[in-house]
Amino acid sequence: MSTIRKLISSPSTTAFLRNRVCGGVNSTRRSTAAVNALQSRQYTPPRHITKFNEQPVLTKKPKASRFLPYEPHTNAVPLRMCIQHDDDKMLEIMWRNDETQMYAYPWLRDNCMCASCFNQTVRSRIVSFRSLDVESSPHDARVSEDGETLCLTWPDGHVSEFSSQWLREYRFEQSTNDPVTYPKMRYWGSEIEDSLSVFELEDILQSDEALYEMLMELKTSGLCCIKGGGTEEGQVKKIADRIAFLHITYFGPTSHVKALYNAPNVAYTSKSFPMHTDLAFMGRPPGAQMIHCIQQAKDDGGENWFTDGFKVALDLKKVDPEAYDLLCNVPMEFKDMGSYYYGKFYQRASHPVISLDGMGHPYHIYLSDHGRDPMLRVPPEKVLDIYRALKKFSYIYHHPRNVFEYKLQEGDIMTFDNRRVIHGRAAFKVTSISARHLETGYLEWDDMDSRIRVLREDLAANYRKKTEADDEKETS
């Protein structure tokens, strides 16, 4: 019996699959069957493993906002005192709530906010690093009587002032995480069918609050559905224009996914499309994708599959840290070539399957069996371990507990994080009375993050104005 077969058939592995992937000893009968399928090494597409009695019905559910930035500011704590530590070139700050923080002298001088050093209009530093004296120490450091301002006088007579609120915002490792750069992730499996966020297209196009909610849902869970798109082309461009603009690829500004005779890609056939993330063969694949269902196949087939790639990557890390480490560090090569909207193309790129951010968290999943090149630039003796890691990861992201299956309804616009959501499609039949037509478009996360930050500031400012106006009415 092969090593992999032994591993899959071992009691410890079966227990892991039931406890970690299948939800414990009280797993459903469906999940137990899936474990048995894994033990017998039978690959079955998730459409057949994940059997719903009927397709989930996605509807917009009234619920309280989880994201709107209406919380009062909590950083307004006055300063109590400051202490200079010239030998270490550090300034110790203490606030009136007894919290303390150390600040390095060169950092304070570099971040002086006066008009000579910082342009408030464009919010940009004026002076260059070349003019910074990193050995300089302030001659004098004092806190204003009201505790709102720290004032530093430097040897050349330059004066720097910092507000208490600004100092509390920039506290190095104690700084509050930016909710856009480091959002609180919400991981999910097939149970997302009961909690998937659903929005109306008209709300997205007209309401800043709805747009902000939708974008933050993509940041935290990576998947949402927009209803009310109708069956006319051009809806994904409307959404992109509300956010920023479409990310153009060699398939065009948007692409119309139909079964074509001379298909440039497996997506343009009626065959099953294996689980993947889009355009792994690009150096920087698009950040997010919108799929608008204009026409859906009438018979069985054409269901879409969605798996939370970050969640299953962390599952792999728990069960097999060595396999996880291999997929995080071994570069795989991907390529795609053909001819389409802009003529001939030949894309090629190299990525690890699981790319991590600066804090060591999963940041981008690169999966494309149809685009993965045979090239592996590793010693031959490592290849088997790499394939075992890929196979184990495949078991996890195909597992029914992790796959959300949904057959898009006409007018649906499924929107998801392409860095995170592993997705695929079941085969379908094209007949004289049944066809399938999707219009897809891409967005870039730099543009989406920018829009989120602008909306966050504007919505919070509007809320503060409304609150102040309401307070004035109550006191008058």
Side-chain angles (χ1 to χ4, degrees), residues 219-247:
K219 288 293 293 186
T220 55
S221 70
L223 180 69
C224 68
C225 184
I226 301 173
K227 290 281 189 178
T231 56
E232 291 186 5
E233 299 175 8
Q235 305 310 308
V236 295
K237 185 179 186 302
K238 289 181 181 179
I239 298 172
D241 289 346
R242 268 287 280 159
I243 298 168
F245 41 81
L246 285 165
H247 179 96

Side-chain angles (χ1 to χ4, degrees), residues 50 61 106 136 186 204 240 255-256 279 290 298 315 336 370 433 471:
T50 311
K61 305 176 182 67
S136 181
R186 182 166 73 96
I204 299 299
S255 58
H256 293 270
L279 310 188
M290 301 170 287
K298 299 296 187 289
D315 285 348
D336 192 30
H370 57 284
I433 60 171
D471 291 344

Side-chain angles (χ1 to χ4, degrees), residues 70-332:
Y70 294 164
E71 302 85 4
H73 208 290
T74 58
N75 283 343
V77 178
L79 295 163
R80 174 178 292 166
M81 60 185 295
C82 63
I83 302 172
Q84 291 184 248
H85 299 271
D86 289 344
D87 290 344
D88 299 323
K89 296 195 177 299
M90 300 284 282
L91 183 72
E92 183 178 1
I93 296 293
M94 179 179 289
W95 283 270
R96 294 183 185 177
N97 62 357
D98 294 332
E99 292 182 358
T100 63
Q101 180 63 50
M102 302 293 287
Y103 293 90
Y105 290 162
W107 184 88
L108 289 165
R109 182 64 187 88
D110 180 41
N111 289 288
C112 177
M113 306 299 289
C114 78
S116 299
C117 298
F118 192 86
N119 187 321
Q120 293 289 348
T121 303
V122 297
R123 301 183 185 183
S124 174
R125 186 184 289 107
I126 298 171
V127 296
S128 70
F129 206 87
R130 184 179 182 182
S131 63
L132 179 66
D133 181 0
V134 299
E135 304 299 333
S136 181
S137 300
H139 279 333
D140 183 61
R142 63 183 64 189
V143 172
S144 63
E145 290 187 5
D146 60 7
E148 294 299 320
T149 307
L150 169 70
C151 182
L152 304 178
T153 304
W154 302 93
D156 60 0
H158 190 85
V159 176
S160 301
E161 291 186 345
F162 304 93
S163 71
S164 173
Q165 180 175 315
W166 187 91
L167 290 166
R168 285 181 63 78
E169 183 176 353
Y170 294 95
R171 298 185 64 185
F172 304 100
E173 76 278 6
Q174 297 187 70
S175 301
T176 302
N177 281 341
D178 174 11
V180 180
T181 305
Y182 302 107
K184 185 177 180 181
M185 293 293 183
R186 182 166 73 96
Y187 301 111
W188 48 269
S190 61
E191 78 287 346
I192 197 175
E193 69 176 82
D194 298 321
S195 60
L196 182 70
S197 289
V198 179
F199 300 88
E200 290 292 332
L201 178 60
E202 191 64 22
D203 292 341
I204 299 299
L205 299 180
Q206 300 296 329
S207 166
D208 283 351
E209 288 89 346
L211 179 61
Y212 180 84
E213 286 269 336
M214 186 269 285
L215 290 172
M216 284 303 296
E217 190 65 45
L218 288 177
K219 288 293 293 186
T220 55
S221 70
L223 180 69
C224 68
C225 184
I226 301 173
K227 290 281 189 178
T231 56
E232 291 186 5
E233 299 175 8
Q235 305 310 308
V236 295
K237 185 179 186 302
K238 289 181 181 179
I239 298 172
D241 289 346
R242 268 287 280 159
I243 298 168
F245 41 81
L246 285 165
H247 179 96
I248 297 175
T249 71
Y250 51 81
F251 291 113
T254 64
S255 58
H256 293 270
V257 181
K258 305 176 183 179
L260 302 177
Y261 173 72
N262 192 18
N265 184 290
V266 67
Y268 294 82
T269 71
S270 61
K271 296 179 180 179
S272 175
F273 197 178
M275 298 288 272
H276 65 283
T277 55
D278 272 28
L279 310 188
F281 29 76
M282 294 180 67
R284 180 170 175 158
Q289 184 175 15
M290 301 170 287
I291 301 178
H292 177 205
C293 181
I294 294 173
Q295 184 180 8
Q296 183 58 274
K298 299 296 187 289
D299 298 325
D300 291 341
E303 295 86 357
N304 285 90
W305 310 314
F306 304 95
T307 294
D308 184 349
F310 292 172
K311 186 259 184 189
V312 294
L314 295 174
D315 285 348
L316 177 65
K317 184 178 182 180
K318 291 177 184 177
V319 65
D320 193 335
E322 292 183 0
Y324 177 81
D325 187 64
L326 277 174
L327 298 188
C328 288
N329 290 286
V330 174
M332 310 293 292

